[in-house]
Amino acid sequence: MDVLHKILVAPFIDMVAAPDFFMQVLWEGLVSGVLYALIALGFVLIYKSSRIFNFAQGIMVVFAALTLVGLHEKGVPALLAVPLTLVVMFVLAVAIERVVLRPLVNQPDVILFMATIGITLFLIGFGEMIFGGENKVMITEQLMIPTGAFTFEPFGGFLLIEQKDLTAVVGAGILVLVLLVFLNRSKMGRAIRALGDDHQAALSVGISLSTIWVLVWFIAGIIALATGIVWGARAGVSFALEVIAFKALPVLMLGGLESVTGAIVGGLAIGVLEKLFEIYWGQPLMGGNTETWFAFVFALIILLFRPQGLFGEKIIERV
Amino acid sequence: MLYRITGQFKTNYRSDYALFPVRQDMFLLAVILFFAWVVFPLMASEFAFQTLLIPVLIYALAALGLNILTGYAGQLSLGTGAFMGVGAYACYKLVTIFPDLNLMLAIGFSGLFSAAIGLAFGLPSLRIKGFYLAIATLAAQFFLVWLFEKWSWLYNYNASGAIQVPTIDMFGITVAGPTASSMVQYYFVLFIVSVITLLAINITRGRIGRMWKAVRDMDIAAELVGINLLRAKLIAFGVSSYIVGVSGALFVFLWRGAAEPNLFDIPLSFRILFIAIIGGLGSILGNFLGAILIIALPVILNIIPEAFGVEVDSSLLEHINIMIIGALIIAVLIIEPHGLARIWAVIREKLIIWPFPH
């Protein structure tokens, strides 16, 4: 009985007893959820248009952030470093398409997945060689991101909202909106979706596979840079960041591999739930650090009921 | 020329499906086994045992376990490292609870624990497929590694949180622990790896193996011809986790000597996946070729600059190492997506019909 009480009742009493703390936890979860959603978005874009499960998205985040900081350290002004980093990401996209993807067209999914792991390793080695392995500070102030904090006092308690987190949430929202408009309204966006629906049909109406692939990887690079700036502002920039790439995977499972909506909803849901679980169940009952696995186990349980994720395309199998 | 099959007539199906349809394969294998059992142990230095021979065998065994699941039954798994951990921790508990237990038996039993957990995590595979399943196996990876860290009963409540291999004797010879000699350890590993490889070859050649391949190629079609999918997939998860668990126990007891939970983290899983894929999915030989490449390459890369008398910073060397392995994976996938084993198969085919092109 005592155990059941601890699991089923006590956490909720805690939540009600300290609503300000509960809201703080919710906010923290929401902010990390936005980041997970952003990484998952990069995955989804590439998966939609090419059926490639891009494992390298996480490392692209680190690589973009490191390039930005590295350029700034070399004396490039911060606002110039951003477009320069984008140029680097574009070159990377072209190189990946040329060297890796083009020779592997039409290979089974698992081979392309392995190739992206190869890209990941290459980028880790390359990045560490150029930028070094130590943790760097993100150039938050130079990019004119506000760093102060708002404090509120709901229910006579205390709630702290950092301005850079708020900027991150708003920025991510704008990025997603632009992306959705681009995908749904522009010619290129329609071409991307056509390619996702049916490769051969898209090719036969004159859509260039290689152009679209470069474009998609470049967009993924832009998203990576945005994620890198936001995450770097919170935790610094180093290759330790690559663990967040793994966090995007349960998000994908939960939301469905092809769905932009799924990535966003899944990201926010997992961000909030894993924080709540960690604070109210993990730390008091299980010795903490449950964030490493909670998202995966949660997504696994959901998947048992919906094998294609919450928003994924229904899997129709034919013999 | 050396592979000419003239005069080797097959008069019935049985001989056509024999283990060695071509006699030269048998000679080749005999030569390799002779090297492995006699020549290498006699010639190898301590360094070669510890950095090349023993790890190559252990990694090849782990890759073999993964290959049964991924290459034969078609279920992509990213949680190999954690299942190695289960084997290692199970073995540690067994030898500390029953100090008199024969180490060979302890390692054999510890595979069973890993197999049981593999079965549990294999159950969702009936509903979840493809990449969704791959991510689901990551749940096992992260959860189990977390458990190794938090469940202090597993490491006997010691302060460091790591497991330390005690000195274990078998028939009066020290086989594990700090004082064991490398040659004994090598023979111990070689024996287990040889036995399991032989069993694996025969399982994959037989009815169960054909069942797995049918499931891999198209599971609905396999179900239609009367294969019980649940059974086929669960057997694959069980056998695979058993082998992986045994390799994990060997990994810690016969090679590393001690282990912390993060040793079994995701990089280990990926390294084994690389070995299986570079070697060739759906091939037994490939695991060994892949392991030789992935394990030996860093050692060779470390030696090269010294040989030319160039001083290279060790951290730089490590980065170049990672880059080269990444590039190598991509290169192998582009040149031959079916891995090194397929390259060997092509060469062998050419040798058999030489000097004719077809």
Side-chain angles (χ1 to χ4, degrees):
Chain A
M1 266 330 273
D2 192 37
V3 177
L4 276 181
H5 180 268
K6 267 188 193 157
I7 294 172
L8 295 176
V9 185
F12 295 101
I13 296 176
D14 287 348
M15 283 181 205
V16 179
D20 56 327
F21 182 64
F22 177 63
M23 285 169 73
Q24 184 76 49
V25 173
L26 271 188
W27 170 251
E28 296 288 331
L30 200 70
V31 174
S32 40
V34 166
L35 288 159
Y36 300 158
L38 275 181
I39 304 177
L41 207 59
F43 272 103
V44 166
L45 263 185
I46 290 178
Y47 190 81
K48 246 174 115 71
S49 67
S50 53
R51 302 282 139 179
I52 295 172
F53 191 91
N54 176 25
F55 192 77
Q57 182 67 27
I59 215 62
M60 277 164 65
V61 170
V62 182
F63 193 74
L66 275 179
T67 313
L68 182 65
V69 177
L71 280 173
H72 187 260
E73 276 178 359
K74 295 272 182 311
V76 182
L79 291 178
L80 186 64
V82 174
L84 275 180
T85 309
L86 287 181
V87 171
V88 172
M89 295 316 281
F90 182 72
V91 173
L92 184 69
V94 174
I96 288 177
E97 198 275 329
R98 276 275 162 168
V99 180
V100 184
L101 300 182
R102 198 176 286 185
L104 286 174
V105 173
N106 252 338
Q107 293 292 351
D109 295 347
V110 65
I111 300 293
L112 284 159
F113 168 64
M114 280 305 295
T116 63
I117 298 184
I119 297 174
T120 309
L121 284 186
F122 187 82
L123 283 181
I124 291 177
F126 187 64
E128 287 197 338
M129 203 165 77
I130 295 181
F131 304 109
E134 72 275 16
N135 202 343
K136 292 186 197 274
V137 181
M138 178 44 77
I139 42 172
T140 319
E141 276 135 54
Q142 291 87 331
L143 289 170
M144 296 195 273
I145 297 171
T147 47
F150 297 116
T151 51
F152 298 97
E153 296 183 354
F155 312 111
F158 181 76
L159 176 64
L160 181 98
I161 292 184
E162 286 204 49
Q163 286 179 6
K164 60 186 180 200
D165 289 350
L166 203 61
T167 321
V169 173
V170 174
I174 294 172
L175 190 69
V176 169
L177 269 184
V178 171
L179 201 64
L180 280 178
V181 170
F182 174 76
L183 278 178
N184 289 314
R185 293 273 177 266
S186 77
K187 202 174 164 185
M188 280 292 202
R190 280 203 296 274
I192 291 176
R193 287 189 296 141
L195 212 54
D197 283 345
D198 190 330
H199 266 150
Q200 285 189 336
L203 283 174
S204 67
V205 294
I207 293 169
S208 158
L209 190 70
S210 45
T211 320
I212 297 295
W213 278 12
V214 170
L215 180 74
V216 167
W217 279 78
F218 179 49
I219 297 176
I222 298 176
I223 297 176
L225 177 60
T227 323
I229 292 176
V230 174
W231 195 274
R234 285 165 67 90
V237 184
S238 79
F239 277 89
L241 268 181
E242 66 178 306
V243 287
I244 60 167
F246 289 113
K247 279 304 179 54
L249 299 177
V251 172
L252 292 170
M253 268 165 86
L254 192 63
L257 286 172
E258 306 91 352
S259 165
V260 174
T261 336
I264 296 162
V265 175
L268 296 181
I270 282 188
V272 170
L273 286 176
E274 74 170 16
K275 263 288 190 302
L276 285 181
F277 185 82
E278 166 72 11
I279 300 284
Y280 289 101
W281 283 272
Q283 279 175 3
L285 300 175
M286 307 168 86
N289 212 4
T290 55
E291 279 161 323
T292 53
W293 57 266
F294 173 76
F296 287 96
V297 175
F298 176 70
L300 179 61
I301 292 167
I302 297 285
L303 228 58
L304 285 179
F305 298 97
R306 279 188 67 88
Q308 71 279 26
L310 292 175
F311 297 90
E313 286 164 16
K314 185 128 186 63
I315 304 164
I316 301 166
E317 288 180 282
R318 295 186 186 86
V319 176
Chain B
M1 191 167 56
L2 290 170
Y3 251 91
R4 181 109 353 128
I5 51 170
T6 326
Q8 300 180 23
F9 299 113
K10 308 277 187 301
T11 49
N12 52 24
Y13 280 121
R14 206 181 163 71
S15 60
D16 217 17
Y17 281 95
L19 194 52
F20 300 105
V22 176
R23 206 176 297 140
Q24 283 87 337
D25 285 342
M26 206 176 354
F27 294 138
L28 192 62
L29 186 71
V31 170
I32 292 172
L33 283 180
F34 178 71
F35 267 86
W37 280 92
V38 182
V39 179
F40 287 153
L42 285 179
M43 291 173 55
S45 62
E46 187 70 21
F47 175 78
F49 272 126
Q50 291 297 333
T51 58
L52 290 173
L53 294 175
I54 296 178
V56 162
L57 286 174
I58 294 174
Y59 275 111
L61 187 66
L64 172 65
L66 176 66
N67 221 326
I68 283 184
L69 188 61
T70 305
Y72 283 95
Q75 314 294 311
L76 183 57
S77 163
L78 302 176
T80 323
F83 287 106
M84 286 176 77
V86 174
Y89 277 87
C91 195
Y92 179 69
K93 286 311 284 186
L94 281 174
V95 298
T96 46
I97 294 172
F98 309 105
D100 295 328
L101 190 64
N102 187 317
L103 184 63
M104 197 78 82
L105 282 181
I107 287 178
F109 282 132
S110 54
L112 293 179
F113 290 89
S114 165
I117 293 179
L119 285 180
F121 278 98
L123 273 175
S125 71
L126 211 60
R127 252 179 98 65
I128 307 172
K129 284 168 189 168
F131 285 124
Y132 287 103
L133 180 69
I135 309 174
T137 58
L138 278 178
Q141 167 76 50
F142 287 105
F143 180 73
L144 290 172
V145 170
W146 176 82
L147 204 64
F148 298 152
E149 201 178 312
K150 297 288 175 192
W151 192 8
S152 33
W153 178 78
L154 281 177
Y155 45 88
N156 289 348
Y157 308 100
N158 66 18
S160 63
I163 53 175
Q164 197 77 38
V165 175
T167 305
I168 301 169
D169 288 358
M170 221 173 85
F171 310 121
I173 305 165
T174 311
V175 287
T179 53
S181 90
S182 291
M183 195 188 291
V184 174
Q185 292 187 317
Y186 172 75
Y187 273 118
F188 190 98
V189 174
L190 185 63
F191 175 73
I192 291 187
V193 171
S194 308
V195 170
I196 290 184
T197 308
L198 185 67
L199 289 176
I201 290 174
N202 282 319
I203 291 177
T204 50
R205 259 158 37 92
R207 197 175 61 85
I208 297 176
R210 287 198 296 276
M211 198 161 83
W212 286 338
K213 286 177 198 161
V215 172
R216 168 191 70 190
D217 291 343
M218 176 144 238
D219 56 354
I220 294 184
E223 199 173 13
L224 285 176
V225 297
I227 290 170
N228 184 340
L229 280 192
L230 180 67
R231 242 185 76 200
K233 285 183 180 175
L234 283 188
I235 293 176
F237 268 97
V239 172
S240 157
S241 317
Y242 181 83
I243 297 177
V244 168
V246 167
S247 77
L250 292 176
F251 184 70
V252 172
F253 275 73
L254 277 305
W255 184 41
R256 302 294 298 240
E260 287 174 11
N262 61 13
L263 183 66
F264 304 106
D265 228 334
I266 196 103
L268 181 64
S269 300
F270 274 138
R271 186 177 296 168
I272 290 158
L273 187 66
F274 297 152
I275 292 174
I277 296 212
I278 288 191
L281 286 176
S283 142
I284 304 272
L285 168 74
N287 302 308
F288 291 89
L289 298 179
I292 291 170
L293 189 70
I294 294 281
I295 306 302
L297 191 72
V299 179
I300 294 168
L301 283 176
N302 280 330
I303 295 172
I304 288 176
E306 276 173 40
F308 287 98
V310 190
E311 274 300 309
V312 183
D313 189 36
S314 69
S315 70
L316 178 70
L317 208 59
E318 195 182 321
H319 301 152
I320 294 177
N321 225 325
I322 300 175
M323 264 173 78
I324 291 181
I325 290 182
L328 195 77
I329 290 170
I330 296 172
V332 170
L333 291 177
I334 290 174
I335 297 165
E336 181 53 74
H338 298 285
L340 298 173
R342 176 63 67 88
I343 293 178
W344 162 242
V346 170
I347 294 173
R348 178 174 164 274
E349 204 63 23
K350 287 230 186 298
L351 280 175
I352 285 178
I353 51 174
W354 189 83
F356 305 108
H358 298 294

